[in-house]
């Protein structure tokens, strides 16, 4: 899992709560990403950031928010507006935001709504 | 729009036999192709990528993949499977002609190596 850390590993949320998932990288990468993984659906992009203080919505951004105040940090907040948040969340980073850049992934956070 | 398909949800191979995990793609221009592996409850690990040049790409853990432009495929291969190769494998593609500039992942193929 390289130099990307995610915390917590497991997270339980009650209905109506906002929760924040942490992602930190020490690879000095410019670009960072958040994906959601559901069984049989592969990875779906939630948000991505090419540089500090800038981020764009991915394919399934509704109910999520992010910030990129520091190069090494890209936290994801799952809001109460996300109707089905139970999933495995993966953070990734890449050196740049080019078609050829390899993405490196953290170990993931498994979120369960009670 | 670009797309990637992994036609098999699961592949079973006996230990010591060669293995193939299939991937096909659709892009406007020349694709950039990637393979990743995921072990249970872990993040994805990069195996290899094709950007340009030799159609046969060698990667980590003895894996290789062959880019076939005419068949729009990028199958992952290994000459002799190990039980430890059992995992979920993802193919991914990016399309330089696509202004969205994102990598698209397949749905994954679960590889079971039988001892």
């Amino acid at each position: 899992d390289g130099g990307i850390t995610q915390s917590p590993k497991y997270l339980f949320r009650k209905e109506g709560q906002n929760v924040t998932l942490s992602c930190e990288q020490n690879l000095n990468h410019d670009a960072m990403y958040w994906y959601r993984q559901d069984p049989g659906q592969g990875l779906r992009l939630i948000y991505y950031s090419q540089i500090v203080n800038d981020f764009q919505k991915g394919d399934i951004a509704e109910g999520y928010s992010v910030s990129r105040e520091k190069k090494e940090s890209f936290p994801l907040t799952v809001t109460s507006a996300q109707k089905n948040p139970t999933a495995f969340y993966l953070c990734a980073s890449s050196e740049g935001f080019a078609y050829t850049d390899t993405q490196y992934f953290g170990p993931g956070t498994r979120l369960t709504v009670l | 729009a670009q797309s990637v398909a992994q036609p098999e949800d699961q592949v079973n191979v006996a230990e010591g036999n060669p293995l193939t995990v299939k991937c096909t793609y659709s892009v406007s221009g020349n694709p950039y192709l990637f393979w990743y592996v995921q072990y249970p409850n872990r993040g994805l690990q990069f195996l290899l990528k094709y950007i340009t040049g030799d159609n046969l790409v060698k990667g980590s853990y003895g894996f290789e993949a062959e880019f076939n432009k005419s068949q729009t495929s990028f199958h992952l291969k290994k000459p002799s499977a190990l039980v430890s190769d059992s995992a979920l494998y993802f193919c991914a593609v990016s399309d330089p002609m696509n202004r969205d500039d994102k990598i698209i992942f397949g749905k994954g193929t679960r590889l079971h190596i039988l001892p």
Side-chain angles (χ1 to χ4, degrees):
Chain A
D1 300 321
I4 302 177
T5 58
Q6 291 185 242
S7 62
K9 187 172 182 178
Y10 298 97
L11 185 58
F12 298 91
R13 192 194 90 169
K14 294 181 180 179
E15 295 277 355
Q17 278 185 336
N18 292 356
V19 292
T20 297
L21 283 60
S22 170
C23 177
E24 304 276 334
Q25 54 100 357
N26 62 4
L27 301 170
N28 200 34
H29 285 173
D30 284 322
M32 297 187 74
Y33 313 80
W34 273 106
Y35 292 92
R36 171 178 171 143
Q37 184 178 14
D38 297 281
Q41 295 197 45
L43 275 67
R44 292 183 289 170
L45 183 63
I46 304 172
Y47 268 97
Y48 63 100
S49 169
Q50 298 182 52
I51 56 172
V52 175
N53 292 322
D54 184 61
F55 50 84
Q56 284 81 39
K57 294 181 179 180
D59 300 318
I60 56 165
E62 184 175 353
Y64 300 97
S65 66
V66 294
S67 63
R68 186 87 187 275
E69 298 177 359
K70 298 185 295 182
K71 187 175 185 177
E72 59 269 25
S73 178
F74 191 42
L76 173 74
T77 297
V78 184
T79 74
S80 57
Q82 170 49 236
K83 298 306 179 187
N84 185 22
T86 294
F88 191 52
Y89 291 87
L90 289 164
C91 178
S93 71
S94 60
E95 186 171 353
F97 195 71
Y99 304 104
T100 58
D101 284 337
T102 300
Q103 293 186 18
Y104 295 91
F105 286 79
T109 292
R110 187 167 298 280
L111 173 62
T112 303
V113 173
L114 302 174
Chain B
Q2 73 215 63
S3 65
V4 60
Q6 295 180 242
E8 301 158 316
D9 291 336
Q10 183 169 309
V11 172
N12 297 321
V13 177
E15 186 178 23
N17 283 3
L19 69 87
T20 298
V21 183
K22 296 180 180 178
C23 172
T24 59
Y25 66 88
S26 175
V27 299
S28 303
N30 294 318
Y32 297 138
L33 295 153
F34 305 78
W35 274 104
Y36 288 83
V37 60
Q38 183 181 35
Y39 297 99
N41 294 311
R42 302 289 299 275
L44 277 66
Q45 295 179 29
F46 170 73
L47 282 178
L48 51 82
K49 68 180 177 183
Y50 170 82
I51 304 300
T52 187
D54 194 348
N55 289 344
L56 185 64
V57 180
K58 294 187 182 297
S60 306
Y61 312 121
F63 284 94
E64 59 187 27
E66 185 169 11
F67 171 63
N68 188 317
K69 188 172 184 178
S70 63
Q71 297 186 7
T72 62
S73 67
F74 189 58
H75 301 333
L76 182 69
K77 300 181 179 183
K78 187 173 182 180
S80 178
L82 301 172
V83 172
S84 57
D85 293 329
S86 298
L88 186 59
Y89 290 80
F90 289 95
C91 182
V93 64
S94 64
D95 181 359
M97 301 296 289
N98 186 338
R99 306 189 84 185
D100 285 342
D101 196 7
K102 291 179 289 187
I103 290 177
I104 302 298
F105 288 84
K107 293 185 177 182
T109 297
R110 190 164 298 280
L111 178 63
H112 286 286
I113 307 302
L114 309 172

